[in-house]
Amino acid sequence: MFKKVLHKHWLAWLDKRIPPHSSHALNMRSVFILPSRFGWGFIVMCMCLFLLGTNYQNNLMLLLSYLLLSVMLLTLFYSYQNFAAIALSASSPKTVFANTSAHLTLNRIKHSDYKTTPEGLLQLQWLQLPRRKDTSTITFDIGNREQRLTVPLLLHNRGEHRLPRITFKSAYPFGLYHCWTHLDFDVKVIVYPEPKAGPVCEVAHNTEDAVGGKEDDRHGNEDFFALTDFIEGEPLNRVAWKQVAKTGNWVVKQFSEQKSDDVYLSLPTNTPLEEGLSALTQKIVSMQSQGLHYGLKLGSATFTPNNSISHMHQCLKALATYPNTLFDASSAKSSSHASISPAAPLAAQAPDNSDFQGLSK
């Protein structure tokens, strides 16, 4: 309990010291620096050399201790300047399906206060995710010429996820100091329900009759169907007066209405919510790839039948946020195959979107 309260206050303090923003240029308020284990050992060695030099009145040993301490101090300033020269901006991740990896793209931008280019290896880690060996830490060479780096995050739940803070670490140049920061890029990603086959409710667009049911084509009003005998009570405007004048037999015109292929999709009854949403997602993706028109009725929201890409995203977003729930990505697990490289391609488990020009917003 105490740890949770302390963690909450620490995150609130971070929000005040390093506020969420779409881009960050590091400075004295956002950079933390302390000696590493190797650095503390280096300091202890310098103190031992100083004590030995004073005890035995050895000037060379004293000079060596002073020289090493000066290297320690100079490294402090250089480590900070190199790390503080980092400036990054974030691009909104593409929409993905549940149980696939979203990819946050970070672009290295020019720092307004530094003209030098940062160097060394940069370690990245999602701050609020469970730490596991060989999976949670990503290493990137910040000194290379590439200007982009991609950070994957495996998301299990549908909804609108706010990505957690990212911890950046560097021990450049000698490993005597650890520089780090916790940046919040204030970006969100829409995660659609995982597509799974299942029953969905389909209703014809114009007739509002269930698809697959019988409809009486003889009482439409679009195309001429046939002439039938007049039955008392039928409207007189349907009477074929020309035929009555010629033959004397009272007949009426019957018209057929062309059956529409457009349907409304909705949640099936007696089905768990998540299973129904997954089945609707699978149906929408399938109908979109086939070029069919479809609409969606979900709660109080109604989307008229269409087959455009934007219509598909509107429907899938409605399914993802139904009933308007905001998920916290800090509860997600880091991807076991997480890796980072300049302009890294999307992971293999990303949704196949070749049929409808991708799932980007």
Side-chain angles (χ1 to χ4, degrees):
M1 184 66 181
F2 176 74
K3 289 184 178 180
K4 291 183 178 180
V5 174
L6 185 63
H7 183 72
K8 183 178 179 180
H9 285 285
W10 178 61
L11 291 178
W13 178 80
L14 276 179
D15 289 337
K16 292 181 179 179
R17 188 173 183 88
I18 312 175
H21 204 271
S22 59
S23 62
H24 289 275
L26 300 187
N27 51 36
M28 292 188 65
R29 288 186 58 84
S30 56
V31 175
F32 307 96
I33 183 170
L34 280 175
S36 62
R37 290 184 179 180
F38 174 63
W40 285 115
F42 192 86
I43 294 174
V44 171
M45 183 190 67
C46 293
M47 295 178 62
C48 291
L49 289 175
F50 177 78
L51 291 176
L52 288 174
T54 54
N55 187 39
Y56 293 100
Q57 296 182 355
N58 190 323
N59 293 332
L60 290 177
M61 192 170 293
L62 288 174
L63 181 62
L64 178 61
S65 64
Y66 295 151
L67 178 63
L68 294 178
L69 284 174
S70 64
V71 170
M72 188 74 181
L73 291 175
L74 290 175
T75 303
L76 171 65
F77 292 103
Y78 187 78
S79 297
Y80 167 78
Q81 289 182 351
N82 179 77
F83 189 73
I86 297 175
L88 299 169
S89 65
S91 302
S92 297
K94 294 182 178 180
T95 53
V96 295
F97 293 118
N99 293 320
T100 59
S101 291
H103 291 75
L104 175 64
T105 301
L106 301 178
N107 303 301
R108 198 176 68 187
I109 58 178
K110 185 178 180 180
H111 201 296
S112 58
D113 298 332
Y114 294 91
K115 296 182 180 180
T116 58
T117 301
E119 299 179 359
L121 297 179
L122 191 65
Q123 294 181 338
L124 286 73
Q125 186 178 64
W126 295 103
L127 177 61
Q128 296 167 268
L129 298 186
R131 300 182 179 181
R132 296 180 299 175
K133 293 183 179 180
D134 303 328
T135 60
S136 57
T137 301
I138 302 167
T139 302
F140 178 78
D141 187 2
I142 195 65
N144 61 19
R145 296 182 179 180
E146 297 291 340
Q147 301 296 315
R148 295 193 307 166
L149 55 153
T150 305
V151 188
L153 176 64
L154 183 61
L155 299 172
H156 296 281
N157 299 323
R158 65 176 178 89
E160 186 177 14
H161 294 255
R162 190 177 186 278
L163 300 185
R165 288 179 177 268
I166 301 180
T167 300
F168 296 83
K169 298 179 181 179
S170 176
Y172 186 84
F174 302 130
L176 295 175
Y177 293 93
H178 276 160
C179 301
W180 75 94
T181 186
H182 308 293
L183 302 182
D184 188 349
F185 287 97
D186 195 21
V187 293
K188 297 178 182 179
V189 57
I190 300 294
V191 179
Y192 299 148
E194 183 180 6
K196 291 182 179 179
V200 298
C201 183
E202 301 181 34
V203 178
H205 175 30
N206 292 327
T207 62
E208 297 295 329
D209 293 331
V211 172
K214 296 181 180 180
E215 73 177 61
D216 189 357
D217 287 336
R218 299 184 58 188
H219 295 283
N221 53 11
E222 290 186 358
D223 299 326
F224 176 75
F225 177 72
L227 292 174
T228 60
D229 294 334
F230 176 78
I231 300 176
E232 187 176 356
E234 289 189 339
L236 295 179
N237 60 353
R238 291 182 178 269
V239 175
W241 296 108
K242 291 183 179 181
Q243 299 294 330
V244 173
K246 288 181 180 180
T247 62
N249 296 326
W250 283 65
V251 292
V252 294
K253 297 178 181 179
Q254 298 291 347
F255 298 87
S256 64
E257 182 178 4
Q258 185 178 3
K259 186 176 179 179
S260 174
D261 292 333
D262 298 348
V263 297
Y264 276 108
L265 306 176
S266 60
L267 285 171
T269 57
N270 301 325
T271 301
L273 177 60
E274 296 302 325
E275 293 182 8
L277 293 175
S278 295
L280 281 176
T281 301
Q282 175 67 30
K283 188 66 175 180
I284 289 175
V285 172
S286 176
M287 297 185 71
Q288 180 68 34
S289 62
Q290 298 174 23
L292 302 178
H293 285 68
Y294 57 90
L296 177 65
K297 290 186 176 181
L298 190 66
S300 60
T302 301
F303 301 89
T304 56
N306 203 328
N307 67 340
S308 64
I309 298 298
S310 59
H311 174 69
M312 179 196 66
H313 286 296
Q314 289 176 356
C315 294
L316 292 179
K317 184 177 180 180
L319 296 177
T321 57
Y322 181 81
N324 298 325
T325 303
L326 178 64
F327 291 90
D328 186 0
S330 62
S331 62
K333 296 181 180 180
S334 60
S335 175
S336 60
H337 61 276
S339 61
I340 185 168
S341 60
L346 294 182
Q349 71 271 24
D352 185 5
N353 46 32
S354 58
D355 293 333
F356 37 84
Q357 303 176 6
L359 284 171
S360 60
K361 292 182 179 178

